[in-house]
């Protein structure tokens, strides 16, 4: 996952490009239709930024921020599942398939030279969500389950025992900035994917890896199973002796989500272990991030108004995972829905921008804060659809409770290019791909936009 160009400039350009998005959002927590309407409004707004369904465009592609396609499709899956509205299902189905790559592991050739493990992982989670919501497989191409399995199979091959006793590095390729780090979202994401595959398929390999990743995480500086602190990263240069302790909602959320799936799938003494983990991580999430008025907030960037595109998405992803946790671990339902309701109401109150329902970032202000973009709309959609669990308490399906996606346990095994250990000669083209977000790119992009806005 990478950093992107500045939000204030983007906001100016976007406001000029999109003069009408949606109607203002009304919010009545006791009225299911009101929540569906709110989700419909923000979903329509976020899809204004998607061009993959237009002639000459590439389905599912966001060239300078490829992973965000998965965040968009995750939100669409939650929207369809929660509301029953099929308006965007074809775009969702085509895009989710199109970006799967030749080997069915979300390593498409156009982007694979500069991906992080977390980038690929999020596409795997999107495919896994399609599986658990029984979103229909396409008649050709890869099944959603095989795509999730393909991501799992390629990522476990990158489990790195050369330093820190194990763990995934943040980046896949040695020439990437961040290759020397092992971080929570990559390892917690693979833990979550493994736990979900274990619950869905019942296959022992996924359960084994979920336990392995969890055990390594708590032995590293990334995750404490006493204080339940989740650090952002640790460094291989000192054999993971220290931590980068930046606090982000989605780092907590991804470990919480995996623990919830493990609780739901296991039983006996192991289930007790996972309930302890769920409660510990959930309480830490509440304490750390539901600050002003009990509203979710990524406080490392929101008060200073310097969140980048990635960071705006974090609390939306976490909101969706909280909703699933409430369904998988019923004892958490009441406390989670209370937080989601408060945050959802505040998010709706932020969606009053530009007289067309544009949503902001700092929901705790309960008014529009001047921000604008696809990421804002995705996060709003996530918290709106998460609130709909109050009207539908059905847990995600498994292969024995309604799931019908075709399994392929060896998916992705033939993709030798997906293994970072097999990297040999790094070409100038590879380096250019990895450096897509450099100052040269940024300056060129700003110049192009300035030409479009001021003189084009």
């Amino acid at each position: 996952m990478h950093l992107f160009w500045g939000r204030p400039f983007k906001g100016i350009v976007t406001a000029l490009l999109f003069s009408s998005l949606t109607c203002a959002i009304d919010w009545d927590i006791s009225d299911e239709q009101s929540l569906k309407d709110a989700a419909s409004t923000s979903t329509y707004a976020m899809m204004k930024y998607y061009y993959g369904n237009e002639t000459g465009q590439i389905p599912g592609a966001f060239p300078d921020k490829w992973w965000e396609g998965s965040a968009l499709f995750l939100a669409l899956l939650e929207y369809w599942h929660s509301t029953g509205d099929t308006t965007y299902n074809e775009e969702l189905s085509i895009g989710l398939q199109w970006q799967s790559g030749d080997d069915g592991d979300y390593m498409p050739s156009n982007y694979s030279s500069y991906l992080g493990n977390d980038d690929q992982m999020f596409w795997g989670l999107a495919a896994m969500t399609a599986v658990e919501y029984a979103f229909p497989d396409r008649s050709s191409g890869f099944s959603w389950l095989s795509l999730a399995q393909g991501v799992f199979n390629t990522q476990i091959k990158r489990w790195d025992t050369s330093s820190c006793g194990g763990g995934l590095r943040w980046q896949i390729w040695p020439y990437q900035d961040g290759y020397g780090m092992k971080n929570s979202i990559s390892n917690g994401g693979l833990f979550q994917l493994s736990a979900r595959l274990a619950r869905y398929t019942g296959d022992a390999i996924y359960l084994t890896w979920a336990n392995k990743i969890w055990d390594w995480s708590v032995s590293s500086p990334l995750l404490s199973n006493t204080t339940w602190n989740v650090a952002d990263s640790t460094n291989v240069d000192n054999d993971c002796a220290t931590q980068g302790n930046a606090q982000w909602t989605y780092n907590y959320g991804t470990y919480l989500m995996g623990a919830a799936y493990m609780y739901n799938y296991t039983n006996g003494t192991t289930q007790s272990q996972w309930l302890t983990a769920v409660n510990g991580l959930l309480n830490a999430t509440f304490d750390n991030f539901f600050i002003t008025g009990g509203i979710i907030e990524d406080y490392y960037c929101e008060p200073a108004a310097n969140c980048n595109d990635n960071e705006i998405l974090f609390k939306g992803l976490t909101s969706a995972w909280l909703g699933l946790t409430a369904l998988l671990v019923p004892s958490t339902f009441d406390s989670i829905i209370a937080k989601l309701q408060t945050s959802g109401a505040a998010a709706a109150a932020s969606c009053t921008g530009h007289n067309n329902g544009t949503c902001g970032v700092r929901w705790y202000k309960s008014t529009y804060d001047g921000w604008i973009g696809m990421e804002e709309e995705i996060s709003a959609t996530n918290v709106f659809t998460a609130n709909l669990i109050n009207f539908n308490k059905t847990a995600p399906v498994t292969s024995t409770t309604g799931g019908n996606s075709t399994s392929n346990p060896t998916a992705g095994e033939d993709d030798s290019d997906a293994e970072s250990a097999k990297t040999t000669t790094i070409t100038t083209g590879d380096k250019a791909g990895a450096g897509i977000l450099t100052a040269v790119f940024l300056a060129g992009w700003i110049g192009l936009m300035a030409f479009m806005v001021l003189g084009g």
Side-chain angles (χ1 to χ4, degrees), residues 172-175 416-417 419-426 430:
I172 295 174
W173 310 113
Y175 54 81
S416 59
D417 292 335
E419 298 180 54
S420 58
K422 293 192 176 182
T423 300
T424 52
T425 303
I426 307 305
D430 289 331

Side-chain angles (χ1 to χ4, degrees), residues 195 198-204 207 260-267 271:
R199 177 181 177 272
Y200 184 87
T201 67
D203 290 346
L207 183 63
Y261 272 88
M262 292 293 279
Y263 168 84
N264 190 269
Y265 177 54
T266 59
N267 51 50
Q271 190 175 60

Side-chain angles (χ1 to χ4, degrees), residues 22 36 40 52 73 84 99 141 156 187 198 203 213 226 311 327 371 434:
T22 58
K36 289 182 177 181
S40 175
F73 294 146
Q99 293 303 317
I156 61 173
N187 287 281
D203 290 346
I213 299 162
T226 54
E311 294 156 0
L327 298 177
W371 290 57

Side-chain angles (χ1 to χ4, degrees), residues 23-332:
C23 300
I25 289 178
D26 295 320
W27 182 265
D28 181 352
I29 195 61
S30 64
D31 182 358
E32 181 179 11
Q33 190 58 49
S34 171
L35 305 194
K36 289 182 177 181
D37 290 345
S40 175
T41 300
S42 59
T43 300
Y44 176 80
M46 79 183 187
M47 290 301 287
K48 282 283 189 176
Y49 297 85
Y50 180 66
Y51 304 108
N53 56 350
E54 297 180 2
T55 302
Q57 300 295 322
I58 302 173
F62 291 88
D64 61 337
K65 47 186 179 181
W66 178 75
W67 89 272
E68 288 197 18
S70 67
L72 178 76
F73 294 146
L74 276 164
L76 286 178
L77 283 163
E78 296 290 350
Y79 174 72
W80 163 71
H81 177 72
S82 300
T83 67
D85 184 358
T86 62
T87 298
Y88 309 103
N89 281 16
E90 189 64 8
E91 288 92 338
L92 164 60
S93 182
I94 292 173
L96 198 58
Q97 182 73 221
W98 197 279
Q99 293 303 317
S100 59
D102 293 339
D103 295 284
D105 55 8
Y106 286 115
M107 292 287 291
S109 58
N110 285 350
Y111 308 108
S112 60
S113 65
Y114 60 87
L115 295 186
N117 278 304
D118 52 348
D119 299 321
Q120 182 196 21
M121 175 273 298
F122 270 108
W123 283 89
L125 292 182
M128 194 67 223
T129 302
V131 172
E132 294 171 337
Y133 288 165
F135 188 67
D137 282 344
R138 293 192 66 80
S139 58
S140 61
F142 304 102
S143 72
W144 308 131
L145 180 55
S146 74
L147 287 169
Q149 291 167 314
V151 172
F152 170 86
N153 287 334
T154 54
Q155 293 214 330
I156 61 173
K157 290 181 181 179
R158 302 184 199 125
W159 188 257
D160 173 34
T161 57
S162 68
S163 61
C164 313
L168 277 183
R169 293 174 182 258
W170 175 22
Q171 305 292 357
I172 295 174
W173 310 113
Y175 54 81
Q176 292 175 286
D177 289 340
Y179 183 75
M181 298 167 61
K182 296 185 179 182
N183 63 344
S184 284
I185 194 57
S186 297
N187 287 281
L190 183 56
F191 165 63
Q192 181 191 151
L193 180 61
S194 301
R196 293 172 73 165
L197 283 166
R199 177 181 177 272
Y200 184 87
T201 67
D203 290 346
I205 185 174
Y206 305 121
L207 183 63
T208 297
W209 270 96
N211 281 301
K212 180 176 183 176
I213 299 162
W214 176 268
D215 290 345
W216 177 83
S217 295
V218 299
S219 73
S220 79
L222 294 180
L223 173 62
S224 169
N225 60 356
T226 54
T227 66
W228 299 106
N229 181 73
V230 183
D232 183 67
S233 59
T234 188
N235 200 310
V236 302
D237 291 341
N238 60 16
D239 204 34
C240 298
T242 56
Q243 63 186 29
N245 202 37
Q247 299 286 284
W248 298 105
T249 53
Y250 79 152
N251 286 331
Y252 285 75
T254 196
Y255 277 113
L256 172 64
M257 183 82 280
Y261 272 88
M262 292 293 279
Y263 168 84
N264 190 269
Y265 177 54
T266 59
N267 51 50
T269 56
T270 304
Q271 190 175 60
S272 175
Q273 169 201 340
W274 293 114
L275 183 59
T276 298
V278 167
N279 288 334
L281 286 166
L282 183 61
N283 289 334
T285 302
F286 287 165
D287 291 344
N288 288 344
F289 301 107
F290 288 77
I291 306 171
T292 306
I295 298 161
I296 192 170
E297 169 191 351
D298 268 300
Y299 66 86
Y300 257 53
C301 70
E302 289 186 35
N306 60 4
C307 303
N308 63 38
D309 287 346
N310 288 336
E311 294 156 0
I312 293 168
L313 291 167
F314 293 171
K315 66 182 178 184
L317 291 163
T318 303
S319 297
W321 292 336
L322 284 169
L324 281 167
T325 297
L327 298 177
L328 293 162
V329 188
S331 61
T332 68

